[in-house]
Amino acid sequence: MAKRQEPVRKSVKDVLEDLLAGHREAAFSGPESALKYLRRTFEGQASLPNAVKGVAYDLMADAQAQCGAWEDCAASVASTLGYLGDLEAAFPHEYRRMLAGLTCFERGIQAHSELGDFHAALALCEQAVALDLGAHYMAKRDSLEWAR
């Protein structure tokens, strides 16, 4: 009798690389195609690692912003922020670089501003400043100071 083969278990890094490659390919056809790819990924991957979910939601927020789906974008940004701890735990040595590459703060500020929720936009500026993501977030925070 043949020995039963064990299923292939990919590392979190490999799953993330697969997600990014698939997204890159789908995004060539525009943000709608990128969204379709990401939705299918979430539907088909019940066991997607949380760190990868965070990156996927970030990509989703970016595509939703490009489509002008501001409420969906704000929700995806909130999901991304909820997974930052998982991202740091899965990629402790690459976390700062990955954090700087996320669009969730930029897109979240944009979405909340478009929705007229300037307090939430200001809160995202504060969080980005606290994470030391760049002086441009200080400038955004200063421009939203009136919303306090």
Side-chain angles (χ1 to χ4, degrees):
M1 187 173 341
K3 183 179 176 186
R4 183 173 179 217
Q5 287 188 336
E6 292 293 318
V8 175
R9 305 245 188 258
K10 290 187 174 187
S11 70
V12 176
K13 185 176 183 177
D14 290 339
V15 174
L16 178 60
E17 287 173 2
D18 289 348
L19 173 85
L20 294 174
H23 175 265
R24 218 176 2 262
E25 187 176 316
F28 280 128
S29 300
E32 294 86 2
S33 293
L35 280 173
K36 185 176 179 181
Y37 168 77
L38 292 165
R39 285 187 192 112
R40 285 186 176 172
T41 298
F42 277 115
E43 291 168 3
Q45 295 282 337
S47 61
L48 202 61
N50 286 345
V52 177
K53 286 180 188 176
V55 173
Y57 277 117
D58 182 67
L59 295 170
M60 191 172 274
D62 188 46
Q64 290 162 332
Q66 291 177 45
C67 292
W70 302 117
E71 289 179 6
D72 293 337
C73 177
S76 293
V77 166
S79 295
T80 301
L81 296 175
Y83 288 114
L84 288 183
D86 295 302
L87 189 63
E88 185 175 18
F91 300 99
H93 301 294
E94 300 173 47
Y95 176 68
R96 289 297 305 167
R97 180 190 57 78
M98 293 175 82
L99 186 61
L102 295 178
T103 64
C104 61
F105 292 100
E106 191 71 40
R107 292 308 196 176
I109 293 164
Q110 182 182 12
H112 287 298
S113 295
E114 289 288 335
L115 294 169
D117 188 355
F118 299 105
H119 293 288
L122 181 59
L124 281 173
C125 290
E126 293 285 352
Q127 189 174 0
V129 168
L131 290 169
D132 196 27
L133 293 180
H136 64 285
Y137 288 110
M138 286 185 230
K140 287 178 185 290
R141 179 192 62 194
D142 292 346
S143 73
L144 287 168
E145 195 65 36
W146 61 269
R148 283 193 197 274

